Amino acid sequence: MNELPTPENPLRIGTRASPLAMAQAHMTAAALIATHGITAEALAIVPMTATGDRIQDRALAEVGGKALWTRELDAALDAGVIDIAVHSLKDVETLRDARFALGAMLERADPRDRLVVREDLTATSIADLPQGARLGTSSPRRAAQVKRIRPDLETVLLRGNVATRLAKLAAGEADATLLAAAGLDRLGMHAVGTVQAAAVLLPAASQGAIGIECRADDGAAFALLGAIDHAPTHRAVAAERAFLAELGGDCRSPVAAHANWLGDGTLRLDAEIFSEDGADHAAGHAVIDHDDAAAALARRLLDAAPDTVRRLFAA
């Protein structure tokens, strides 16, 4: 695209078709409209169903990992069917195809998890759950963190979009689950669940961040996106993803990483890596004040980790 999009030549925004993904696509559209002064008619949202949305009875690691969330959008972007693709960055592979460029991140929302319990339970934290309660999740990170806090709890597979997981919880498939606060807020579910402190459940890398990609050779789209990029979010999330890249691992590897801007302008990255059962872990933090700081933290944690943790990563 050589100029601002118009109703006759709209910018095509690719997104997964889930309610949360659609909400995030509309947030992206609103940012483009506000920044560039274009009309809503100059944008076209193109929803598509990802393979990961179709498969809900198995863990991602068993059927292809995070690529199941991006495959369809990548193909459409590469073929020129869409001009940009909106992603929940937590669901995007750390190492991306060089054909695509991350042109913008919107300002990050609450990165923490919320605990949601069955209607007949009263619990506001993992510690409050009844002995032997079943916590539904498909996240190795959440499963390991929960088991580290409460080894008596049983973790069971719970997959699907937010509404599906809440319905499964109501149906008794689990006693509790953990959902991203950012996703619930973007769906208007501000009263659902109880936020868990990051000091107790350190978030996943990129949690709460929306990333927007374009073709690497599409300078016009890249320029449009650059104008809506939230630089503090971009730098923080880039540090988390650099940590993951150095760490190695896959969807089976329990890892948490969160970069936070402190009041003095310092960017601090906190990270943890776990064994699958949460019994063993290594944790640490680093000030992100040079290009290798996040990677250096990953190397330090791997060196300090017991074999039960280190074998889950392939740095």
Side-chain angles (χ1 to χ4, degrees):
M1 303 185 69
N2 296 319
E3 53 188 16
L4 290 177
T6 65
E8 295 74 30
N9 186 28
L11 183 79
R12 298 161 298 173
I13 303 171
T15 176
R16 286 166 51 201
S18 74
L20 176 56
M22 290 292 290
Q24 294 175 164
H26 283 289
M27 289 172 62
T28 301
L32 288 166
I33 290 167
T35 300
H36 295 289
I38 57 178
T39 65
E41 291 74 25
L43 304 172
I45 292 178
V46 183
M48 53 193 72
T49 301
T51 304
D53 290 313
R54 299 189 188 99
I55 303 171
Q56 297 190 6
D57 60 345
R58 285 164 286 170
L60 276 183
E62 298 177 9
V63 288
K66 290 185 176 181
L68 296 181
W69 300 124
T70 58
R71 181 182 299 160
E72 286 76 12
L73 288 169
D74 285 355
L77 192 56
D78 187 47
V81 174
I82 57 176
D83 301 300
I84 64 174
V86 180
H87 299 287
S88 291
L89 267 180
K90 185 177 70 170
D91 296 332
V92 176
E93 312 96 302
T94 307
L95 301 178
R96 293 288 285 144
D97 193 303
R99 292 172 297 170
F100 310 123
L102 185 57
M105 295 186 203
L106 301 186
E107 184 173 2
R108 190 181 215 161
D110 188 342
R112 296 172 295 177
D113 290 324
R114 283 197 204 150
L115 178 69
V116 186
V117 299
R118 284 193 350 243
E119 281 190 7
D120 58 333
L121 288 182
T122 301
T124 59
S125 70
I126 303 300
D128 293 337
L129 291 171
Q131 185 78 14
R134 296 164 302 146
L135 187 134
T137 183
S138 62
S139 162
R141 169 190 66 90
R142 287 171 174 152
Q145 288 174 323
V146 166
K147 289 175 181 176
R148 183 167 183 80
I149 299 167
R150 289 282 305 275
D152 63 290
L153 298 183
E154 178 187 358
T155 56
V156 296
L157 181 66
L158 198 70
R159 284 209 50 222
N161 63 33
V162 171
T164 298
R165 281 181 279 174
L166 290 175
K168 289 180 177 181
L169 184 65
E173 293 189 26
D175 300 308
T177 190
L178 290 162
L179 297 172
L184 290 168
D185 287 344
R186 287 168 184 155
L187 290 169
M189 299 180 180
H190 305 285
V192 173
T194 306
V195 169
Q196 304 299 290
V200 177
L201 292 179
L202 191 67
S206 306
Q207 186 155 306
I210 297 171
I212 308 138
E213 288 188 324
C214 62
R215 290 181 294 279
D217 61 359
D218 189 343
F222 197 81
L224 285 172
L225 295 179
I228 66 170
D229 184 51
H230 188 256
T233 294
H234 205 139
R235 187 178 169 199
V237 174
E240 295 164 12
R241 293 174 71 80
F243 172 82
L244 291 185
E246 183 69 20
L247 199 61
D250 56 25
C251 284
R252 295 182 180 87
S253 307
V255 54
H258 179 60
N260 184 47
W261 289 99
L262 305 181
D264 62 359
T266 299
L267 182 61
R268 170 178 163 141
L269 174 63
D270 288 273
E272 293 180 290
I273 53 178
F274 301 85
S275 60
E276 290 173 313
D277 63 2
D280 298 323
H281 83 141
H285 70 271
V287 172
I288 305 302
D289 55 3
H290 58 88
D291 289 345
D292 191 51
L297 176 60
R299 294 190 294 269
R300 177 155 56 90
L301 292 194
L302 283 172
D303 287 344
D307 288 342
T308 51
V309 175
R310 193 162 45 240
R311 65 180 175 79
L312 300 177
F313 299 90

